Amino acid sequence: MGRVPERIETEADLRDGAGVLVARDARFAPILSAVGPLPLRRRADGVGALVAAIAGQQVSTASAAAILSRLEAAGLTEEAALAAAPDAALRACGLSRPKMRYLRALAAARLDYGALRAATTAEVVAALTAQPGIGRWTAEIYAKLALGHADVFAAGDLALQVAAQRAFGLSARPSEREMRAMAEVWSPVRAVAARALWAYYRLDRQREGVL
């Protein structure tokens, strides 16, 4: 089956993980062939990654990028600055009142991000979902992209559900529970499966002329 990467840190980890994935589920062979090399999609861990995740909740990708850009320009992506920021400063960045509350709670929590780097996926999810405004999807995305966990799958992700339906010829979009059950066979490289399905989703939308 080949080398099983413990973390997804490099393109080599992705290539090895893709080999393991195809051995687990041959349906990924044509998907990987169609999408080409998978993007690493890694991001820096720490409070900034969670600020970006909270700021981007329930808004378009463009709006999320604009809000985060304003927060960064105002120096409001660190705990001390967030804790001290007045409502007017946060509102000027485009944050709603609930998001202001979530970011202040995150700043006050002073999470041990160094300890999270050594934690299991379950421990990461438990620590993050204990914070207001952070649900399982956000916690799993953080474990996958900020910490490089190889065997985590954000089954509640709409794009993954749509991609699975289209790629596997399913009659309906799978629910989060169905998606989580489906992903079991892709262990121990479920994060690679997610990257493959995300890439397929983007390719499929481009075929349909949707950006």
Side-chain angles (χ1 to χ4, degrees), residues 9-207:
E9 304 280 6
T10 66
E11 280 77 12
D13 294 331
L14 273 178
R15 288 193 298 271
D16 290 343
V20 174
L21 179 61
V22 170
R24 300 286 291 167
D25 188 340
R27 294 179 299 175
F28 275 96
I31 292 174
L32 292 167
S33 178
V35 302
L38 297 177
L40 196 55
R41 297 185 69 140
R42 285 299 307 275
R43 61 184 62 156
D45 70 321
V47 66
L50 292 175
V51 169
I54 292 172
Q57 289 173 355
Q58 298 179 323
V59 297
S60 69
T61 301
S63 295
I67 293 169
L68 181 59
S69 179
R70 295 188 200 107
L71 286 168
E72 290 173 340
L76 295 175
T77 56
E78 297 298 330
E79 291 163 334
L82 284 169
D87 284 359
L90 296 174
R91 193 179 302 113
C93 294
L95 293 172
S96 64
R97 188 165 296 279
K99 288 181 182 179
M100 292 183 208
R101 186 171 68 252
Y102 299 154
L103 289 180
R104 288 202 173 101
L106 177 64
R110 299 283 179 173
L111 294 175
D112 186 343
Y113 294 100
L116 287 180
R117 292 182 193 127
T120 66
T121 299
E123 290 168 343
V124 171
V125 170
L128 295 186
T129 55
Q131 305 306 313
I134 298 179
R136 184 169 183 174
W137 179 87
T138 298
E140 288 175 331
I141 292 293
Y142 185 88
K144 184 187 310 179
L145 302 184
L147 297 177
H149 288 202
D151 197 30
V152 58
F153 191 88
D157 190 279
L158 178 62
L160 293 180
Q161 294 170 2
V162 171
Q165 179 186 2
R166 299 293 292 268
F168 303 142
L170 306 178
S171 59
R173 175 167 60 86
S175 65
E176 179 174 353
R177 177 180 293 183
E178 291 167 337
M179 198 78 216
R180 206 168 292 281
M182 186 187 307
E184 286 293 328
V185 75
W186 307 330
S187 182
V189 289
R190 284 176 284 190
V192 179
R195 285 171 171 83
L197 290 172
W198 273 330
Y200 185 86
Y201 176 81
R202 182 171 180 81
L203 176 65
D204 199 46
R205 285 171 65 85
Q206 289 173 341
R207 285 171 178 162

